[in-house]
Amino acid sequence: MKPTFFGGIVFPAKVEGKAPAASRPLEEYTPSVLVLSMRQGFGGECEPAVSPGDPVLVGSVVGRSRDGFAPPIHAGVSGTVLAVEPRPTADGDEVTAVVIENDRRNKSAPPLPPLTVHEPPEKWRERMRQAGLVGMGGAGFPTDRKYSGRPVDTVLVNGCECEPYLSCDHRIMLERTERVIEGALALGRAAGVGRDRVFLCVEKNKPDAIDRLTRAAGNKIRVIALPTRYPQGGERQLIQAVLGREVPMGGLPADVGAVVSNVSTAAAMGDAALGIVLTRRAVTVAGEVARPVNLDVPVGTLFSELLEAAGGEKSSGNLPPPFWEKGAPRRLIAGGPMTGRLLASADVPVTKGSAGLVVLPPQSFEEQNCIRCGACARVCPSRLMPFAIDAAVVAGKMEVCADYGAVQCISCGCCSFVCPARRYLATRVSLSRNTLRRRMAAPSPKE
């Protein structure tokens, strides 16, 4: 099968950076203190359901939805609530968090009752919410909401993991194969589609995962091997590559009869079917670290602890770590280097959507004038002209950004990656997109 989405990049293996961590099995790590942010993604902020001094169990609800949109948040350890207070997040702001001291007893709250395959779709969607499921590929959109929209005919489970350095989804597919398959089938039940319309999609640079999933799936579910091309795992790109359907401008996947969920979300759905709520996730720690690893951690673990578990920053002999050379700061990225967020501090917590911590050396270069080579337009999966939007942003002309379709940017970073002038294209195009979306969402002035 040839890739059918427009643009994209094929990374050289050295740039892709997956090899050091991809071969390492998941390691369980549980910290002494959890910091559970009451905002776990796109679903908004939850209200704390506990107070300082309260005892909690593994699986206890510590955050409840304020508006019925965000799913509940559950404790990943047993212990005592130390504080309910504002704490910094990877987004760079402060959000109320529940801080829990781990008593190391690992006492669990009673599980939810298991579901049978004969339950109607609405029962499966209710279970998604009860278990606290969100999209675990990054955005953290409430899974029950994604499956409660207009009817669809196909469910795509995204195991592409095309972001450089990250390999936690790869390990989930290798080590929790049956749970992924059962979870994918459960997602199909929630969407009301037959198992013949549920597809597990994996890039060909993970042949071991493709082989294991194919053998384990048998005739239950179809595994599709896709060419390795970033950003294959984007919802719109995956739908186009697998189904040949193009999501219309301003539209959603459901508009073309499809819904896409991350493979880790599928595994969590497999747990939820058995009554296990979402309290832990797999996270890759890679890049300039002593020991690249894939860790299975409770949501709320601090990134600083992940860094310590990976042996800290890499050094060479008696030399200082490479990101401290010449006084340059290290780059800590929550997520992957293409779409992740640069952290001001590692003392921020893992959320349900946190797939990785990547440590990279400093990057120092000067922007040059655009040479109008068109490389950014050739790789843009949304068929935009980033160079033109960049110029409009610099000129302060948001209306021009709108004319060029900036709201369709998916923040993949392809434009900046290929730009020979080292323009901050991805930053400015994303900035214009967010500005335009805020304007569109703002209420019209009263006449």
Side-chain angles (χ1 to χ4, degrees), residues 333-350:
I333 300 170
M338 297 296 287
T339 62
R341 294 185 180 274
L342 190 65
L343 297 177
S345 166
D347 290 323
V348 297
V350 167

Side-chain angles (χ1 to χ4, degrees), residues 154-169:
T154 306
V155 172
L156 301 181
V157 179
N158 175 17
C160 292
E161 198 171 40
C162 54
E163 180 85 30
Y165 287 93
L166 304 187
S167 56
C168 55
D169 283 349

Side-chain angles (χ1 to χ4, degrees), residues 220-355:
K220 293 181 185 177
I221 195 170
R222 183 179 172 191
V223 179
I224 297 180
L226 291 166
T228 303
R229 190 175 188 85
Y230 177 86
Q232 185 88 250
E235 282 189 334
R236 294 164 180 260
Q237 288 67 47
L238 191 61
I239 291 168
Q240 196 171 4
V242 176
L243 302 177
R245 304 173 187 174
E246 189 164 359
V247 179
M249 184 175 290
L252 297 171
D255 295 333
V256 294
V259 63
V260 181
S261 283
N262 178 265
V263 72
S264 287
T265 306
M269 187 63 192
D271 286 336
L274 301 176
I276 303 168
V277 299
L278 176 57
T279 63
R280 303 180 70 96
R281 70 150 299 132
V283 182
T284 299
V285 187
E288 296 292 325
V289 294
R291 191 176 67 94
V293 289
N294 295 291
L295 301 174
D296 177 0
V297 302
V299 174
T301 303
L302 295 179
F303 280 107
S304 56
E305 297 218 31
L306 301 185
L307 190 57
E308 185 177 339
E313 303 94 346
K314 183 192 294 184
S315 61
S316 177
N318 296 320
L319 295 177
F323 29 71
W324 286 351
E325 290 175 358
K326 300 181 182 179
R330 61 186 177 178
R331 286 189 294 155
L332 294 176
I333 300 170
M338 297 296 287
T339 62
R341 294 185 180 274
L342 190 65
L343 297 177
S345 166
D347 290 323
V348 297
V350 167
T351 64
K352 296 176 184 179
S354 300

